[in-house]
Amino acid sequence: MTLTPTPAAATPVAVAGRAFPTNRGGLCKKGWTSAELLATPGRLTTPLIRRDGALRPADWEEALALIAARLRAIRAEDGPDAVAVFGGGGLTNEKAYLLGKFARLALGTSRIDYNGRFCMASAAAAGNRAFGIDRGMPFPVTDLDDADTILLLGSNVAATMPPFIGHLAGARAAGGLIVVDPRRSQTAQLTADGGGLHLQPAPGTDLVVLLGLTHIVLAEGLADLDYLEMRTTGFDTVRRSVSAWWPERVQEHTGVPVAQLREVARRLARGRGSYILTGRGVEQHVDGTDTATAAINLALVLGLVGRPGSGYGTLTGQGNGQGGREHGQKCDQLPGYRKIADPADRAAVAAVWGVDPGILPGPGVPAVELLGMLGRRPDGVRALLVHGSNVVVSGPDAGAIRAGLEALDLLVVCDFVLSETAELADVVLPVTQWAEEEGTMTNLEGRILRRRRAIDPPPGVRSELEILADLARRLDAPSVWPTDPAEVFDELARASAGGVADYSGLSHALLDAQLERGEAAHWPYPSGSSGTPRLFADRFGHADGRARLVAVRPRELTSGRAAGELTLITGRLLEHYQSGAQTRRVPELVTAQPRVRAELHPATAARLGIGDGEPVCVRNLRGTVEATALLTEGMRIDTVFLPFHFAGRHCANVLTEAAVDPISAMPEFKRTLVTVEAVTEGALTAQWEAIA
């Protein structure tokens, strides 16, 4: 993306595509309209403090002094873990790094996590378990261009990142694009007319599909036994574990025909270049880590990982979804993907920070558990600092999260608009946005990218680096607290040296020079190296250099659905992003998708007495969502789909459950039991007035 200042215009910059390997100059609707947010009428330019029940303007000195005083008091009364921090996968690497440092040193709290827990956690856990390293794609995205077979599970890239579909063109032309999704999504539609195959399993049965595919590969002699012998461990256990998943049994539990299963297995094994890619649809489950592991097992059994022209990868969900989880926002991690419980890792980072490793807190708790502690007495969280997240819309069981936020003694939100979470805050701090700041991001292929400042921020707006440094000083925090992004990155690089995600050979100046030369920087990038665009060519990240095959099995094989219930799956729309706090402020995007639409199969709608375009209520014991029916034969008859970008009475996550994967702590977003009812507009209004 290229930005050109336009001082005379209402929108301060013009957005244009630029030649770049990953998107080749293409942007989605959200990208083309992103500059409008910089001048949105609701842009915050002054701190807000709640007085007499309302948020009112204040100056920076008053706001920061208030925050520091209340943090000091809460820590003195109930200890540092009474204060928590919640970060975001859209923060720059520099912000994510300094936020983690601030939590551990300035606050002394273990209670920090971020919204990437709702996004990449299962894929990350599976990658670490199998490969000893977590990088979304261990190869450049452009490698996909030469594939003739791509198995894409649980990702609607045509809606979520349209430029990516250009990398699927080769496989599609060869008839080898295979999409696994309960919906006939925009991506699944690309398989029509000879472009590939769409598998439409029952929600939550992707793990069984993958076990069945591995069974077929082994039963038909399609496994790469030499690769398995030389490069992996655990094969015998996995071979035994999939023996019970013959194709007919898989069809019974998933609804995917035997013929399709066999076709997919054979195509993957015999393709000239085969890739397996996973996304949130198969990972946002209580067995998401095991499902991602099953996909990795299939890739390893086929000998795809680490070989030229083939591989396994997972698609990152947020702008800095990869970098955001590498440098200290996760509850158990320090910069460089180091483990906070590891004495050597603690000592290495403490040396960079100039502190005794003994003062660093231990591991905290993951996001869902952290949000469940809000306002709880006596051992819960009394104060919460939120950066780059809108948890009251994006978190599971959103009604309970709202109640927790309202029970806090102090809620501080850094944002550039008054999001639904910021509306509940005691203090709101206005912060710079993407075109107004320097920094770096790390994309899904592990490429570190420079974010360059194109325009000055509005008067009164500050960078989160400045805010954190100011609060650290007021809290008498040890160490130094730079505010220049280049200096923060240099410190991040030193703290990551020797870690899994080693950035120690990089700097802003080097990245700028590489960009001018058309070069890329993929981590690990230790000092003196030229980076690592392709992992696993020679060895995996475990000490013995081998990948681990891990036997997994389904947790349950019955839906437990009562009469009349449907399975709710949630997801994204082309026009909106995450909680919608930004995209619901762009007129063009709102005009295109102004309201929540509940997608239903026409047969399901007929049974329920629902017509296309009519108002409906989607409900369960946790709450009710108001929507408009959209009838489409692309849905399964036992399923309803809601986008999760909307708030209030349209918030899909009011319905989702705060149940999590025991390994990754990923919430169950894709398999929620609900009922759908036809209602009148008047009845809807009456229901919500009664609730209010």
Side-chain angles (χ1 to χ4, degrees), residues 6 52 72 97 136 156 195 237 251 261 408 456 465 646 668:
T6 56
D52 300 322
R72 281 183 180 275
Y97 167 80
N156 185 15
T237 303
Q251 175 180 292
L261 294 167
L408 289 168
D456 293 332
L465 300 180
F646 298 87
E668 175 65 76

PDB file of all heavy atoms in Angstrom, residues 6 52 72 97 136 156 195 237 251 261 408 456 465 646 668:
ATOM      1  N   THR A   6      -2.823  14.266   1.089  1.00  0.00           N
ATOM      2  CA  THR A   6      -3.712  15.145   0.327  1.00  0.00           C
ATOM      3  C   THR A   6      -4.252  16.210   1.269  1.00  0.00           C
ATOM      4  O   THR A   6      -5.385  16.136   1.728  1.00  0.00           O
ATOM      5  CB  THR A   6      -4.876  14.347  -0.292  1.00  0.00           C
ATOM      6  OG1 THR A   6      -5.565  13.663   0.760  1.00  0.00           O
ATOM      7  CG2 THR A   6      -4.367  13.324  -1.274  1.00  0.00           C
ATOM      8  N   ASP A  52     -19.566  11.771  36.814  1.00  0.00           N
ATOM      9  CA  ASP A  52     -21.023  11.773  36.971  1.00  0.00           C
ATOM     10  C   ASP A  52     -21.686  10.853  35.952  1.00  0.00           C
ATOM     11  O   ASP A  52     -22.737  11.175  35.373  1.00  0.00           O
ATOM     12  CB  ASP A  52     -21.582  13.194  36.839  1.00  0.00           C
ATOM     13  CG  ASP A  52     -21.007  14.143  37.886  1.00  0.00           C
ATOM     14  OD1 ASP A  52     -20.821  13.689  39.034  1.00  0.00           O
ATOM     15  OD2 ASP A  52     -20.744  15.307  37.542  1.00  0.00           O
ATOM     16  N   ARG A  72      -1.650   2.500  41.382  1.00  0.00           N
ATOM     17  CA  ARG A  72      -0.853   2.366  42.607  1.00  0.00           C
ATOM     18  C   ARG A  72      -1.727   1.898  43.767  1.00  0.00           C
ATOM     19  O   ARG A  72      -1.351   0.998  44.527  1.00  0.00           O
ATOM     20  CB  ARG A  72      -0.208   3.703  42.966  1.00  0.00           C
ATOM     21  CG  ARG A  72       1.027   4.077  42.173  1.00  0.00           C
ATOM     22  CD  ARG A  72       1.584   5.394  42.691  1.00  0.00           C
ATOM     23  NE  ARG A  72       2.764   5.826  41.982  1.00  0.00           N
ATOM     24  CZ  ARG A  72       3.998   5.418  42.268  1.00  0.00           C
ATOM     25  NH1 ARG A  72       4.196   4.544  43.257  1.00  0.00           N
ATOM     26  NH2 ARG A  72       5.026   5.878  41.585  1.00  0.00           N
ATOM     27  N   TYR A  97       5.647  -5.292  21.962  1.00  0.00           N
ATOM     28  CA  TYR A  97       6.821  -5.511  22.804  1.00  0.00           C
ATOM     29  C   TYR A  97       6.781  -4.639  24.050  1.00  0.00           C
ATOM     30  O   TYR A  97       6.953  -5.116  25.179  1.00  0.00           O
ATOM     31  CB  TYR A  97       8.093  -5.232  22.010  1.00  0.00           C
ATOM     32  CG  TYR A  97       9.339  -5.127  22.854  1.00  0.00           C
ATOM     33  CD1 TYR A  97       9.995  -6.276  23.292  1.00  0.00           C
ATOM     34  CD2 TYR A  97       9.844  -3.880  23.231  1.00  0.00           C
ATOM     35  CE1 TYR A  97      11.132  -6.177  24.086  1.00  0.00           C
ATOM     36  CE2 TYR A  97      10.971  -3.782  24.018  1.00  0.00           C
ATOM     37  CZ  TYR A  97      11.616  -4.934  24.442  1.00  0.00           C
ATOM     38  OH  TYR A  97      12.731  -4.834  25.236  1.00  0.00           O
ATOM     39  N   GLY A 136       3.178 -18.871  10.803  1.00  0.00           N
ATOM     40  CA  GLY A 136       1.981 -19.192  10.044  1.00  0.00           C
ATOM     41  C   GLY A 136       2.271 -19.960   8.775  1.00  0.00           C
ATOM     42  O   GLY A 136       1.744 -21.053   8.551  1.00  0.00           O
ATOM     43  N   ASN A 156     -12.222 -18.539   4.515  1.00  0.00           N
ATOM     44  CA  ASN A 156     -12.928 -17.912   3.396  1.00  0.00           C
ATOM     45  C   ASN A 156     -12.108 -16.728   2.899  1.00  0.00           C
ATOM     46  O   ASN A 156     -12.478 -15.566   3.063  1.00  0.00           O
ATOM     47  CB  ASN A 156     -14.321 -17.468   3.847  1.00  0.00           C
ATOM     48  CG  ASN A 156     -15.152 -16.911   2.708  1.00  0.00           C
ATOM     49  OD1 ASN A 156     -14.836 -17.088   1.537  1.00  0.00           O
ATOM     50  ND2 ASN A 156     -16.231 -16.218   3.059  1.00  0.00           N
ATOM     51  N   GLY A 195     -12.954 -26.040 -11.176  1.00  0.00           N
ATOM     52  CA  GLY A 195     -11.855 -25.437 -10.438  1.00  0.00           C
ATOM     53  C   GLY A 195     -11.411 -26.221  -9.231  1.00  0.00           C
ATOM     54  O   GLY A 195     -10.388 -25.896  -8.623  1.00  0.00           O
ATOM     55  N   THR A 237       2.252 -44.518  16.208  1.00  0.00           N
ATOM     56  CA  THR A 237       1.105 -44.173  17.059  1.00  0.00           C
ATOM     57  C   THR A 237      -0.006 -43.541  16.232  1.00  0.00           C
ATOM     58  O   THR A 237      -1.193 -43.857  16.408  1.00  0.00           O
ATOM     59  CB  THR A 237       1.542 -43.209  18.165  1.00  0.00           C
ATOM     60  OG1 THR A 237       2.602 -43.803  18.915  1.00  0.00           O
ATOM     61  CG2 THR A 237       0.384 -42.895  19.100  1.00  0.00           C
ATOM     62  N   GLN A 251     -17.857 -40.699   6.571  1.00  0.00           N
ATOM     63  CA  GLN A 251     -19.048 -40.179   5.903  1.00  0.00           C
ATOM     64  C   GLN A 251     -20.229 -40.121   6.857  1.00  0.00           C
ATOM     65  O   GLN A 251     -20.987 -39.143   6.878  1.00  0.00           O
ATOM     66  CB  GLN A 251     -19.401 -41.048   4.702  1.00  0.00           C
ATOM     67  CG  GLN A 251     -20.699 -40.648   4.014  1.00  0.00           C
ATOM     68  CD  GLN A 251     -21.017 -41.533   2.830  1.00  0.00           C
ATOM     69  OE1 GLN A 251     -20.321 -41.503   1.822  1.00  0.00           O
ATOM     70  NE2 GLN A 251     -22.087 -42.321   2.937  1.00  0.00           N
ATOM     71  N   LEU A 261     -13.820 -38.063  -0.291  1.00  0.00           N
ATOM     72  CA  LEU A 261     -12.682 -38.297   0.588  1.00  0.00           C
ATOM     73  C   LEU A 261     -11.547 -38.985  -0.171  1.00  0.00           C
ATOM     74  O   LEU A 261     -10.380 -38.588  -0.064  1.00  0.00           O
ATOM     75  CB  LEU A 261     -13.111 -39.148   1.785  1.00  0.00           C
ATOM     76  CG  LEU A 261     -14.098 -38.494   2.762  1.00  0.00           C
ATOM     77  CD1 LEU A 261     -14.681 -39.543   3.702  1.00  0.00           C
ATOM     78  CD2 LEU A 261     -13.409 -37.398   3.565  1.00  0.00           C
ATOM     79  N   LEU A 408     -15.517  -3.536  37.105  1.00  0.00           N
ATOM     80  CA  LEU A 408     -14.145  -3.128  37.399  1.00  0.00           C
ATOM     81  C   LEU A 408     -14.107  -1.825  38.199  1.00  0.00           C
ATOM     82  O   LEU A 408     -14.997  -0.983  38.093  1.00  0.00           O
ATOM     83  CB  LEU A 408     -13.367  -2.927  36.095  1.00  0.00           C
ATOM     84  CG  LEU A 408     -13.011  -4.178  35.290  1.00  0.00           C
ATOM     85  CD1 LEU A 408     -12.505  -3.775  33.911  1.00  0.00           C
ATOM     86  CD2 LEU A 408     -11.971  -5.019  36.022  1.00  0.00           C
ATOM     87  N   ASP A 456       0.994  13.616   9.859  1.00  0.00           N
ATOM     88  CA  ASP A 456       1.034  13.893  11.291  1.00  0.00           C
ATOM     89  C   ASP A 456      -0.311  13.520  11.919  1.00  0.00           C
ATOM     90  O   ASP A 456      -1.365  13.696  11.299  1.00  0.00           O
ATOM     91  CB  ASP A 456       1.311  15.368  11.545  1.00  0.00           C
ATOM     92  CG  ASP A 456       2.712  15.776  11.121  1.00  0.00           C
ATOM     93  OD1 ASP A 456       3.598  14.907  11.153  1.00  0.00           O
ATOM     94  OD2 ASP A 456       2.889  16.954  10.755  1.00  0.00           O
ATOM     95  N   LEU A 465       3.384   4.177  22.577  1.00  0.00           N
ATOM     96  CA  LEU A 465       4.747   4.115  23.105  1.00  0.00           C
ATOM     97  C   LEU A 465       4.977   5.249  24.098  1.00  0.00           C
ATOM     98  O   LEU A 465       5.585   5.060  25.164  1.00  0.00           O
ATOM     99  CB  LEU A 465       5.765   4.192  21.970  1.00  0.00           C
ATOM    100  CG  LEU A 465       5.714   3.085  20.904  1.00  0.00           C
ATOM    101  CD1 LEU A 465       6.796   3.320  19.864  1.00  0.00           C
ATOM    102  CD2 LEU A 465       5.859   1.705  21.539  1.00  0.00           C
ATOM    103  N   PHE A 646     -20.814  -7.024  14.419  1.00  0.00           N
ATOM    104  CA  PHE A 646     -21.816  -6.063  14.864  1.00  0.00           C
ATOM    105  C   PHE A 646     -21.971  -6.104  16.375  1.00  0.00           C
ATOM    106  O   PHE A 646     -21.585  -7.065  17.031  1.00  0.00           O
ATOM    107  CB  PHE A 646     -23.139  -6.333  14.163  1.00  0.00           C
ATOM    108  CG  PHE A 646     -23.057  -6.178  12.664  1.00  0.00           C
ATOM    109  CD1 PHE A 646     -22.665  -7.234  11.855  1.00  0.00           C
ATOM    110  CD2 PHE A 646     -23.342  -4.966  12.068  1.00  0.00           C
ATOM    111  CE1 PHE A 646     -22.561  -7.095  10.475  1.00  0.00           C
ATOM    112  CE2 PHE A 646     -23.247  -4.805  10.687  1.00  0.00           C
ATOM    113  CZ  PHE A 646     -22.859  -5.876   9.892  1.00  0.00           C
ATOM    114  N   GLU A 668     -14.546 -21.647  21.724  1.00  0.00           N
ATOM    115  CA  GLU A 668     -15.402 -22.356  20.775  1.00  0.00           C
ATOM    116  C   GLU A 668     -16.327 -21.341  20.097  1.00  0.00           C
ATOM    117  O   GLU A 668     -17.372 -20.974  20.621  1.00  0.00           O
ATOM    118  CB  GLU A 668     -16.229 -23.414  21.520  1.00  0.00           C
ATOM    119  CG  GLU A 668     -17.243 -24.141  20.673  1.00  0.00           C
ATOM    120  CD  GLU A 668     -16.611 -24.989  19.584  1.00  0.00           C
ATOM    121  OE1 GLU A 668     -16.088 -26.077  19.890  1.00  0.00           O
ATOM    122  OE2 GLU A 668     -16.645 -24.552  18.419  1.00  0.00           O
TER     123      GLU A 668
END
